[in-house]
Coordinates of all heavy atoms in Angstrom, one line a residue:
G1 N -0.5 -2.1 -20.6 CA -1.8 -2.1 -19.9 C -1.6 -2.6 -18.5 O -0.6 -3.1 -18.1
F2 N -2.7 -2.4 -17.7 CA -2.7 -2.8 -16.4 C -3.5 -4.1 -16.2 O -4.4 -4.4 -17.1 CB -3.4 -1.8 -15.5 CG -2.5 -0.6 -15.3 CD1 -2.7 0.6 -16.1 CD2 -1.6 -0.5 -14.3 CE1 -1.9 1.7 -15.9 CE2 -0.8 0.6 -14.1 CZ -1.0 1.7 -14.9
V3 N -3.3 -4.9 -15.2 CA -4.0 -6.1 -14.9 C -5.4 -5.8 -14.4 O -6.4 -6.5 -14.7 CB -3.2 -7.0 -13.9 CG1 -4.1 -8.2 -13.5 CG2 -1.9 -7.4 -14.4
F4 N -5.5 -4.7 -13.7 CA -6.8 -4.3 -13.2 C -7.3 -3.0 -13.9 O -6.5 -2.1 -14.2 CB -6.7 -3.9 -11.7 CG -6.3 -5.1 -10.9 CD1 -4.9 -5.3 -10.6 CD2 -7.2 -6.0 -10.4 CE1 -4.6 -6.4 -9.8 CE2 -6.9 -7.1 -9.7 CZ -5.5 -7.3 -9.4
N5 N -8.6 -3.0 -14.2 CA -9.1 -1.9 -14.9 C -10.4 -1.4 -14.2 O -11.3 -2.2 -14.1 CB -9.5 -2.3 -16.3 CG -9.8 -1.1 -17.2 OD1 -9.6 0.0 -16.8 ND2 -10.3 -1.3 -18.4
P6 N -10.4 -0.3 -13.6 CA -9.3 0.7 -13.6 C -8.3 0.4 -12.5 O -8.6 -0.2 -11.5 CB -10.0 2.0 -13.2 CG -11.2 1.6 -12.4 CD -11.6 0.2 -12.9
P7 N -7.0 0.7 -12.7 CA -6.0 0.4 -11.7 C -6.2 1.0 -10.4 O -5.8 0.5 -9.4 CB -4.7 0.8 -12.4 CG -5.1 1.8 -13.5 CD -6.4 1.4 -13.9
E8 N -6.9 2.2 -10.4 CA -7.1 2.9 -9.1 C -7.9 2.0 -8.2 O -7.9 2.3 -7.0 CB -7.8 4.2 -9.4 CG -7.0 5.2 -10.1 CD -7.0 5.0 -11.7 OE1 -7.8 4.2 -12.2 OE2 -6.3 5.7 -12.3
S9 N -8.6 1.0 -8.7 CA -9.5 0.2 -7.8 C -8.6 -0.6 -6.8 O -9.1 -1.1 -5.8 CB -10.3 -0.7 -8.6 OG -9.5 -1.7 -9.3
V10 N -7.3 -0.8 -7.1 CA -6.4 -1.5 -6.2 C -5.3 -0.6 -5.7 O -4.2 -1.1 -5.3 CB -5.9 -2.8 -6.8 CG1 -7.0 -3.8 -7.0 CG2 -5.2 -2.5 -8.1
M11 N -5.5 0.7 -5.8 CA -4.5 1.7 -5.3 C -5.1 2.7 -4.4 O -5.3 3.8 -4.7 CB -4.0 2.4 -6.6 CG -3.3 1.5 -7.6 SD -2.9 2.3 -9.2 CE -2.0 3.7 -8.7
P12 N -5.5 2.2 -3.1 CA -6.1 3.1 -2.2 C -5.1 4.2 -1.7 O -4.0 3.9 -1.5 CB -6.6 2.2 -1.1 CG -5.7 1.0 -1.1 CD -5.4 0.9 -2.6
G13 N -5.6 5.4 -1.6 CA -4.7 6.5 -1.2 C -4.9 7.7 -2.0 O -5.6 7.7 -3.0
E14 N -4.3 8.7 -1.5 CA -4.4 10.0 -2.3 C -3.7 9.8 -3.7 O -2.7 9.2 -3.8 CB -3.6 11.1 -1.5 CG -4.2 11.4 -0.2 CD -5.6 12.1 -0.3 OE1 -5.8 12.8 -1.2 OE2 -6.4 11.9 0.7
K15 N -4.3 10.4 -4.6 CA -3.8 10.4 -6.0 C -3.0 11.8 -6.2 O -3.6 12.8 -6.4 CB -4.9 10.3 -7.0 CG -5.8 9.1 -6.8 CD -5.0 7.8 -6.7 CE -5.9 6.6 -6.6 NZ -6.0 6.0 -5.3
I16 N -1.8 11.7 -6.0 CA -0.9 12.9 -6.0 C -0.4 13.2 -7.4 O 0.2 12.3 -8.0 CB 0.2 12.8 -5.0 CG1 -0.3 12.6 -3.6 CG2 1.2 13.9 -5.1 CD1 0.7 12.2 -2.6
E17 N -0.7 14.3 -8.0 CA -0.3 14.7 -9.3 C 0.7 15.8 -9.5 O 1.2 15.9 -10.6 CB -1.6 15.0 -10.1 CG -2.6 13.9 -10.1 CD -3.9 14.3 -10.8 OE1 -4.1 15.4 -11.2 OE2 -4.8 13.4 -10.9
T18 N 0.9 16.5 -8.4 CA 1.9 17.6 -8.6 C 2.8 17.6 -7.3 O 2.5 17.0 -6.3 CB 1.2 19.0 -8.6 OG1 0.5 19.2 -7.3 CG2 0.2 19.1 -9.8
F19 N 3.9 18.3 -7.4 CA 4.8 18.4 -6.3 C 4.2 19.1 -5.1 O 4.4 18.8 -4.0 CB 6.1 19.2 -6.7 CG 7.1 19.2 -5.6 CD1 7.9 18.1 -5.3 CD2 7.4 20.4 -4.9 CE1 8.8 18.1 -4.3 CE2 8.3 20.4 -3.9 CZ 9.0 19.3 -3.6
D20 N 3.4 20.2 -5.4 CA 2.6 20.9 -4.4 C 1.7 19.9 -3.6 O 1.6 20.0 -2.4 CB 1.9 22.1 -4.9 CG 2.8 23.2 -5.3 OD1 3.9 23.3 -4.8 OD2 2.4 24.0 -6.1
M21 N 1.0 19.1 -4.4 CA 0.1 18.1 -3.7 C 0.9 17.1 -2.9 O 0.5 16.8 -1.8 CB -0.7 17.3 -4.8 CG -1.7 18.1 -5.5 SD -2.5 17.2 -6.9 CE -3.5 16.0 -6.0
F22 N 2.1 16.8 -3.3 CA 3.0 15.9 -2.6 C 3.4 16.5 -1.3 O 3.4 15.9 -0.2 CB 4.2 15.4 -3.4 CG 5.2 14.6 -2.7 CD1 4.9 13.3 -2.2 CD2 6.4 15.2 -2.3 CE1 5.8 12.6 -1.5 CE2 7.3 14.5 -1.6 CZ 7.0 13.2 -1.2
T23 N 3.9 17.7 -1.3 CA 4.4 18.4 -0.1 C 3.3 18.6 0.9 O 3.4 18.4 2.1 CB 5.1 19.7 -0.4 OG1 4.2 20.6 -1.2 CG2 6.4 19.5 -1.2
K24 N 2.1 18.9 0.4 CA 0.9 19.1 1.3 C 0.6 17.7 1.9 O 0.4 17.7 3.2 CB -0.3 19.6 0.5 CG -1.5 19.9 1.4 CD -2.7 20.4 0.6 CE -3.8 20.6 1.5 NZ -5.0 21.1 0.8
W25 N 0.6 16.7 1.2 CA 0.3 15.3 1.7 C 1.4 14.9 2.7 O 1.1 14.4 3.8 CB 0.3 14.3 0.6 CG 0.1 12.9 1.1 CD1 -1.0 12.3 1.4 CD2 1.2 12.0 1.3 NE1 -0.7 11.0 1.9 CE2 0.7 10.8 1.8 CE3 2.6 12.1 1.1 CZ2 1.4 9.7 2.1 CZ3 3.4 11.0 1.4 CH2 2.8 9.8 1.9
L26 N 2.6 15.2 2.4 CA 3.7 14.8 3.3 C 3.6 15.6 4.6 O 3.9 15.0 5.7 CB 5.1 15.1 2.6 CG 6.3 14.5 3.2 CD1 6.2 13.0 3.3 CD2 7.5 14.9 2.4
C27 N 3.3 16.9 4.6 CA 3.2 17.6 5.8 C 2.0 17.1 6.7 O 2.1 17.3 7.9 CB 2.9 19.1 5.5 SG 4.4 19.9 4.8
N28 N 1.0 16.5 6.1 CA -0.1 16.0 6.9 C -0.1 14.5 7.1 O -1.0 13.9 7.5 CB -1.4 16.4 6.2 CG -1.6 17.9 6.1 OD1 -1.4 18.6 7.1 ND2 -1.9 18.4 5.0
F29 N 1.0 13.9 6.7 CA 1.1 12.4 6.7 C 0.9 11.9 8.1 O 1.4 12.4 9.1 CB 2.5 12.0 6.3 CG 2.7 10.5 6.3 CD1 2.2 9.8 5.3 CD2 3.4 9.9 7.3 CE1 2.3 8.4 5.2 CE2 3.6 8.5 7.3 CZ 3.1 7.8 6.2
G30 N 0.0 11.0 8.2 CA -0.4 10.4 9.5 C -1.5 11.0 10.3 O -2.0 10.5 11.2
D31 N -1.9 12.2 9.8 CA -3.0 12.9 10.6 C -4.3 12.2 10.4 O -5.0 11.9 11.3 CB -3.1 14.4 10.1 CG -1.9 15.2 10.6 OD1 -1.2 14.8 11.4 OD2 -1.8 16.3 10.0
N32 N -4.7 12.0 9.1 CA -6.0 11.3 8.8 C -5.7 10.3 7.8 O -5.4 10.6 6.6 CB -7.0 12.4 8.3 CG -7.4 13.4 9.3 OD1 -7.7 13.0 10.4 ND2 -7.3 14.7 9.0
D33 N -5.9 9.0 8.2 CA -5.7 7.9 7.2 C -7.1 7.5 6.8 O -7.7 6.6 7.3 CB -4.9 6.8 7.9 CG -4.5 5.7 6.9 OD1 -5.0 5.8 5.7 OD2 -3.8 4.8 7.3
N34 N -7.6 8.1 5.7 CA -8.9 7.8 5.2 C -8.9 6.5 4.4 O -10.0 6.1 4.0 CB -9.4 9.0 4.4 CG -9.6 10.2 5.2 OD1 -9.9 10.2 6.4 ND2 -9.3 11.4 4.6
Y35 N -7.8 5.9 4.1 CA -7.7 4.8 3.3 C -7.3 3.5 4.0 O -7.1 2.5 3.3 CB -6.8 5.1 2.1 CG -7.2 6.2 1.3 CD1 -6.8 7.5 1.5 CD2 -8.2 6.1 0.2 CE1 -7.2 8.6 0.8 CE2 -8.6 7.1 -0.5 CZ -8.1 8.4 -0.2 OH -8.6 9.5 -1.0
K36 N -7.2 3.5 5.3 CA -6.7 2.4 6.1 C -7.6 1.1 5.8 O -7.1 0.0 5.6 CB -6.7 2.7 7.5 CG -6.0 1.7 8.4 CD -5.9 2.2 9.8 CE -5.1 1.2 10.7 NZ -4.8 1.7 12.0
A37 N -8.9 1.3 5.9 CA -9.8 0.2 5.7 C -9.7 -0.4 4.3 O -9.7 -1.6 4.1 CB -11.2 0.6 6.0
D38 N -9.5 0.5 3.3 CA -9.4 0.0 1.9 C -8.1 -0.8 1.7 O -8.1 -1.8 1.1 CB -9.3 1.2 0.9 CG -10.6 2.0 0.9 OD1 -11.7 1.4 1.2 OD2 -10.6 3.2 0.6
R39 N -7.0 -0.3 2.3 CA -5.7 -1.1 2.3 C -5.9 -2.4 3.0 O -5.4 -3.4 2.5 CB -4.6 -0.3 2.8 CG -4.1 0.8 1.9 CD -2.8 1.4 2.3 NE -2.7 1.8 3.7 CZ -3.2 2.9 4.2 NH1 -3.7 3.8 3.4 NH2 -3.1 3.2 5.5
R40 N -6.5 -2.4 4.1 CA -6.7 -3.7 4.9 C -7.5 -4.7 4.0 O -7.2 -5.9 4.0 CB -7.4 -3.4 6.2 CG -7.5 -4.7 7.0 CD -8.1 -4.4 8.4 NE -7.3 -3.4 9.1 CZ -7.8 -2.3 9.6 NH1 -9.1 -2.0 9.5 NH2 -7.0 -1.5 10.3
N41 N -8.6 -4.2 3.3 CA -9.3 -5.1 2.5 C -8.5 -5.7 1.4 O -8.6 -6.9 1.0 CB -10.5 -4.4 1.9 CG -11.6 -4.1 2.9 OD1 -11.7 -4.8 3.9 ND2 -12.4 -3.1 2.7
L42 N -7.6 -4.9 0.8 CA -6.7 -5.4 -0.3 C -5.7 -6.3 0.3 O -5.3 -7.3 -0.4 CB -6.1 -4.2 -1.0 CG -7.0 -3.4 -1.9 CD1 -6.2 -2.2 -2.5 CD2 -7.6 -4.3 -3.0
L43 N -5.2 -6.1 1.5 CA -4.3 -7.0 2.1 C -4.8 -8.4 2.2 O -4.2 -9.4 1.8 CB -3.9 -6.5 3.5 CG -3.1 -7.4 4.4 CD1 -1.6 -7.3 3.9 CD2 -3.2 -7.0 5.8
H44 N -6.1 -8.5 2.6 CA -6.7 -9.8 2.7 C -7.0 -10.4 1.4 O -7.0 -11.7 1.2 CB -8.0 -9.7 3.6 CG -7.7 -9.4 5.0 ND1 -7.0 -10.2 5.8 CD2 -8.0 -8.2 5.7 CE1 -6.9 -9.6 7.0 NE2 -7.5 -8.4 7.0
K45 N -7.1 -9.6 0.4 CA -7.4 -10.1 -1.0 C -6.2 -10.6 -1.7 O -6.2 -11.6 -2.4 CB -8.1 -9.0 -1.8 CG -8.5 -9.4 -3.2 CD -9.2 -8.2 -3.9 CE -9.6 -8.6 -5.3 NZ -10.3 -7.6 -6.0
F46 N -5.0 -10.0 -1.5 CA -3.8 -10.3 -2.2 C -2.7 -11.0 -1.5 O -1.8 -11.6 -2.1 CB -3.3 -9.0 -2.8 CG -4.1 -8.4 -3.9 CD1 -4.8 -7.2 -3.7 CD2 -4.3 -9.1 -5.1 CE1 -5.6 -6.7 -4.7 CE2 -5.0 -8.5 -6.1 CZ -5.7 -7.3 -5.9
H47 N -2.7 -11.0 -0.2 CA -1.6 -11.5 0.6 C -2.0 -12.7 1.4 O -2.9 -12.7 2.2 CB -1.0 -10.4 1.5 CG -0.4 -9.3 0.7 ND1 0.8 -9.3 0.2 CD2 -0.9 -8.1 0.4 CE1 1.1 -8.2 -0.4 NE2 0.0 -7.4 -0.3
K48 N -1.2 -13.8 1.2 CA -1.5 -15.0 1.9 C -1.1 -14.9 3.4 O -1.8 -15.3 4.3 CB -0.7 -16.2 1.3 CG -0.9 -17.5 2.0 CD -0.1 -18.6 1.3 CE -0.2 -19.9 1.9 NZ 0.5 -21.0 1.2
Y49 N 0.1 -14.3 3.6 CA 0.6 -14.1 5.0 C 0.4 -12.7 5.5 O 0.7 -11.8 4.7 CB 2.1 -14.5 5.1 CG 2.4 -15.9 4.6 CD1 2.9 -16.2 3.4 CD2 2.1 -17.0 5.4 CE1 3.2 -17.5 2.9 CE2 2.3 -18.3 5.0 CZ 2.9 -18.5 3.8 OH 3.1 -19.8 3.4
K50 N 0.0 -12.6 6.7 CA -0.2 -11.3 7.3 C 0.5 -11.2 8.7 O 0.0 -10.5 9.6 CB -1.7 -11.0 7.4 CG -2.4 -11.0 6.1 CD -3.9 -11.2 6.3 CE -4.5 -11.7 5.0 NZ -4.3 -13.1 4.7
D51 N 1.6 -11.9 8.9 CA 2.2 -12.0 10.2 C 3.4 -11.1 10.4 O 4.1 -11.2 11.4 CB 2.6 -13.5 10.4 CG 3.5 -14.0 9.4 OD1 4.0 -13.3 8.5 OD2 3.8 -15.2 9.5
G52 N 3.8 -10.3 9.4 CA 4.9 -9.4 9.6 C 6.2 -10.1 9.3 O 7.3 -9.5 9.6
N53 N 6.2 -11.3 8.8 CA 7.5 -12.1 8.5 C 7.8 -12.2 7.1 O 8.5 -13.1 6.7 CB 7.4 -13.4 9.2 CG 7.4 -13.3 10.7 OD1 8.2 -12.5 11.3 ND2 6.5 -14.0 11.4
S54 N 7.2 -11.4 6.2 CA 7.4 -11.6 4.8 C 8.9 -11.4 4.4 O 9.4 -12.2 3.6 CB 6.6 -10.6 4.0 OG 5.2 -10.9 4.2
S55 N 9.6 -10.4 4.9 CA 11.0 -10.2 4.6 C 11.8 -11.5 5.0 O 12.7 -11.9 4.3 CB 11.5 -9.0 5.3 OG 10.9 -7.9 4.7
K56 N 11.5 -12.0 6.2 CA 12.2 -13.2 6.7 C 12.0 -14.4 5.7 O 13.0 -15.1 5.4 CB 11.7 -13.6 8.1 CG 12.3 -14.8 8.7 CD 11.7 -15.1 10.1 CE 12.3 -16.3 10.6 NZ 11.7 -16.7 11.9
R57 N 10.8 -14.6 5.2 CA 10.5 -15.6 4.3 C 11.3 -15.4 3.0 O 11.8 -16.4 2.4 CB 9.0 -15.8 4.0 CG 8.3 -16.5 5.1 CD 6.9 -16.8 4.7 NE 6.0 -15.6 4.7 CZ 5.5 -15.1 5.8 NH1 5.7 -15.7 7.0 NH2 4.8 -14.0 5.7
V58 N 11.4 -14.2 2.5 CA 12.1 -13.9 1.3 C 13.6 -14.3 1.5 O 14.2 -15.0 0.7 CB 12.0 -12.4 0.9 CG1 13.0 -12.1 -0.2 CG2 10.6 -12.2 0.4
L59 N 14.2 -13.9 2.6 CA 15.6 -14.2 2.9 C 15.8 -15.7 3.0 O 16.8 -16.2 2.5 CB 16.0 -13.5 4.2 CG 16.1 -12.0 4.1 CD1 16.4 -11.4 5.4 CD2 17.2 -11.5 3.1
E60 N 14.9 -16.4 3.7 CA 15.0 -17.8 3.8 C 14.9 -18.5 2.4 O 15.6 -19.4 2.1 CB 13.9 -18.4 4.7 CG 14.2 -18.0 6.2 CD 13.1 -18.4 7.1 OE1 12.0 -18.9 6.6 OE2 13.3 -18.3 8.3
A61 N 14.0 -18.0 1.5 CA 13.9 -18.5 0.2 C 15.2 -18.3 -0.6 O 15.5 -19.1 -1.5 CB 12.7 -17.9 -0.5
M62 N 15.9 -17.3 -0.3 CA 17.2 -17.0 -1.0 C 18.3 -17.7 -0.3 O 19.5 -17.6 -0.8 CB 17.4 -15.5 -0.9 CG 16.4 -14.7 -1.7 SD 16.6 -12.9 -1.4 CE 18.2 -12.6 -2.0
G63 N 18.1 -18.4 0.8 CA 19.1 -19.2 1.4 C 19.9 -18.3 2.4 O 21.0 -18.7 2.9
I64 N 19.4 -17.2 2.8 CA 20.0 -16.3 3.7 C 19.2 -16.4 5.1 O 18.0 -16.2 5.1 CB 20.0 -14.8 3.2 CG1 20.7 -14.7 1.9 CG2 20.6 -13.9 4.3 CD1 20.5 -13.4 1.2
K65 N 19.9 -16.7 6.1 CA 19.2 -16.8 7.4 C 19.7 -15.8 8.4 O 20.5 -15.2 8.6 CB 19.4 -18.2 8.0 CG 18.6 -19.1 7.0 CD 18.5 -20.5 7.6 CE 17.8 -21.3 6.6 NZ 17.1 -22.5 7.1

């Protein structure tokens, strides 16, 4: 099972079900981002840091600098 019910509530974006849908989405990637605000809202809900340094923090936690 999923932690969220329905899981789509935390999965903003096109729901791609076929290869044809994928290729159509890929060809239009970046043209119209109808889900940007939804993703931003989830970012603030789930992520403590929003400074673009998450990978750096992971490496530091692993002892890699």
Side-chain angles (χ1 to χ4, degrees):
F2 289 96
V3 174
F4 297 95
N5 193 8
E8 294 82 7
S9 67
V10 292
M11 299 168 57
E14 296 292 329
K15 305 307 183 257
I16 298 171
E17 298 176 359
T18 66
F19 185 75
D20 287 337
M21 289 172 72
F22 173 70
T23 55
K24 183 178 178 182
W25 173 83
L26 193 58
C27 289
N28 296 313
F29 182 75
D31 289 346
N32 295 311
D33 188 352
N34 298 324
Y35 299 94
K36 187 174 185 175
D38 294 335
R39 286 194 309 278
R40 186 175 302 124
N41 289 335
L42 288 175
L43 173 76
H44 294 294
K45 183 176 182 178
F46 290 111
H47 296 278
K48 180 178 180 179
Y49 301 105
K50 301 159 200 77
D51 59 5
N53 292 313
S54 294
S55 296
K56 180 180 177 184
R57 278 189 290 279
V58 169
L59 292 174
E60 288 173 354
M62 295 171 59
I64 303 169
K65 294 191 180 203

